Amino acid sequence: MAFTPQTWPGRVIPADREQAELATRKLFGELFPGHPVTSQAIAILNRWFDAGWCVDAIKVALDNLPEGREGFQPRRGDQESPEDFLVRRLRKWFREEDDDFERNARLAPPRAGQSLDMHLRLKRQQQINDGLVSRPRRLTEAGQQARRQVRERAGKGRPDPIARARARDARVQQALDALAVDVPPAHAGEGENAPDDRRDSQLVAAYAARTATVRHDPTVRRILARLTEERRRPNAQETIILRRAVRAAQQRASLGTLAAATADATNEVLNPDAQRILTYLDHALNSGLTLDQTLALMHTQVDTLDTP
């Protein structure tokens, strides 16, 4: 259950720093409205919360003296800060016996507190007594039997995943054996690594085509030519324009790749970007060279075709 400083129960003793901060903010909201909750105030009240005091007990102690002591608590001064006020008022609630060797020993709180769990249980019981919450109904015989079955299944644990995988593979193999059809392996006679080599070369060609699309973009070429001629780095405005141009070229390359992949099925007229990508795919090769060397070779071949 989530609490706010306004809804924090005044009789609950904070059990951790988060609850102590909620209690401190509740106290400040009631006694010092408008004043910020400082780390000094949190540190002062944390020591009292650690000693078993709650917000209601601190409020009573601020207005009263311990039992058996005469006098009264002086009012808060106009220039007195909330932190000084807390220290001055709560100082009266330290023990003063000569035989007490415990440093900073505090008296028993003037109002007993309770834990958060106890507060929630009492609140729940009060809601049940007031008819706000219905009492939990007892399970029927069928419900109790279902509970026992669920507990038995949970106690057995889940099946071994390896055993499930082996059983699934066995069922698949039985289904294949029942078909009794000999299916020749794909790409038979092309060598052991032929499919992988062809796929790798196509991936390299597609990558080369996308980089070429960016490289041939007019805006990119114009900015790079200017920077090369002036031998300088791009300024902030040129960097923004260059990034936008590269991003737009990458998007066109993605659309061109899709159009080139479906060119045979749709018979549509390809735009220049898609045609360039299709040309690169047609020149996919497995040269055994490094990636940079393969890219340079493909760029040279395609650029030679584009040159009149």
Side-chain angles (χ1 to χ4, degrees):
M1 182 178 182
F3 289 97
T4 63
Q6 292 76 19
T7 60
W8 177 257
R11 296 292 296 273
V12 172
I13 302 173
D16 53 35
R17 294 309 177 199
E18 182 179 358
Q19 295 180 5
E21 184 174 353
L22 285 175
T24 302
R25 294 187 180 279
K26 177 182 180 64
L27 184 66
F28 263 64
E30 295 178 355
L31 300 183
F32 314 109
H35 286 275
V37 179
T38 63
S39 58
Q40 181 183 1
I42 295 177
I44 293 172
L45 293 177
N46 274 345
R47 292 192 287 269
W48 292 89
F49 294 145
D50 292 341
W53 286 51
C54 60
V55 173
D56 288 353
I58 293 177
K59 290 168 60 177
V60 173
L62 291 176
D63 293 333
N64 301 274
L65 292 175
E67 185 177 358
R69 298 187 185 181
E70 298 181 357
F72 61 92
Q73 291 278 35
R75 68 180 184 87
R76 177 189 170 196
D78 296 336
Q79 303 298 326
E80 189 176 20
S81 65
E83 293 80 8
D84 294 339
F85 174 76
L86 291 173
V87 172
R88 179 172 58 82
R89 287 288 185 98
L90 294 176
R91 186 180 296 118
K92 302 294 184 180
W93 288 84
F94 284 103
R95 295 177 182 173
E96 297 179 353
E97 289 80 358
D98 295 336
D99 57 349
D100 187 3
F101 296 98
E102 183 181 358
R103 183 183 179 185
N104 292 337
R106 294 164 176 80
L107 296 172
R111 182 163 297 176
Q114 56 189 203
S115 65
L116 181 59
D117 293 339
M118 177 62 69
H119 169 77
L120 294 178
R121 287 198 298 268
L122 294 177
K123 183 178 180 180
R124 173 74 176 181
Q125 186 62 42
Q126 185 64 37
Q127 291 176 345
I128 293 176
N129 296 337
D130 295 341
L132 301 177
V133 179
S134 60
R135 293 180 179 272
R137 294 179 298 177
R138 297 187 59 182
L139 290 177
T140 61
E141 184 63 27
Q144 294 178 1
Q145 182 179 0
R147 175 186 289 178
R148 288 193 297 268
Q149 293 176 354
V150 170
R151 289 178 176 175
E152 290 177 0
R153 288 197 298 268
K156 293 179 180 178
R158 300 184 62 183
D160 185 7
I162 298 179
R164 293 204 311 270
R166 290 176 177 174
R168 183 178 63 252
D169 294 341
R171 292 193 299 269
V172 172
Q173 187 61 41
Q174 291 177 0
L176 293 176
D177 294 341
L179 294 176
V181 177
D182 295 333
V183 180
H187 309 288
E190 296 184 4
E192 182 179 358
N193 297 325
D196 294 337
D197 293 341
R198 181 166 52 256
R199 176 173 176 80
D200 292 343
S201 61
Q202 291 177 350
L203 291 176
V204 173
Y207 173 75
R210 290 194 298 270
T211 57
T213 302
V214 176
R215 185 163 54 90
H216 285 78
D217 184 82
T219 305
V220 175
R221 292 171 64 91
R222 184 173 61 256
I223 295 178
L224 293 180
R226 183 193 309 164
L227 297 177
T228 303
E229 181 181 356
E230 298 177 1
R231 295 183 179 181
R232 62 178 178 84
R233 294 180 177 273
N235 54 35
Q237 184 177 3
E238 290 173 338
T239 301
I240 295 175
I241 297 175
L242 188 60
R243 287 178 178 175
R244 291 177 179 175
V246 171
R247 191 178 298 112
Q250 290 174 345
Q251 293 177 355
R252 293 199 311 272
S254 300
L255 295 176
T257 303
L258 180 61
T262 58
D264 295 337
T266 59
N267 294 325
E268 294 182 357
V269 178
L270 300 179
N271 56 36
D273 295 327
Q275 185 62 48
R276 182 183 298 107
I277 292 174
L278 186 60
T279 304
Y280 271 91
L281 292 176
D282 291 339
H283 287 76
L285 52 89
N286 183 20
S287 60
L289 303 175
T290 63
L291 177 61
D292 294 337
Q293 293 172 344
T294 304
L295 292 176
L297 180 59
M298 295 185 66
H299 287 318
T300 302
Q301 292 178 347
V302 176
D303 291 343
T304 302
L305 294 176
D306 294 339
T307 302

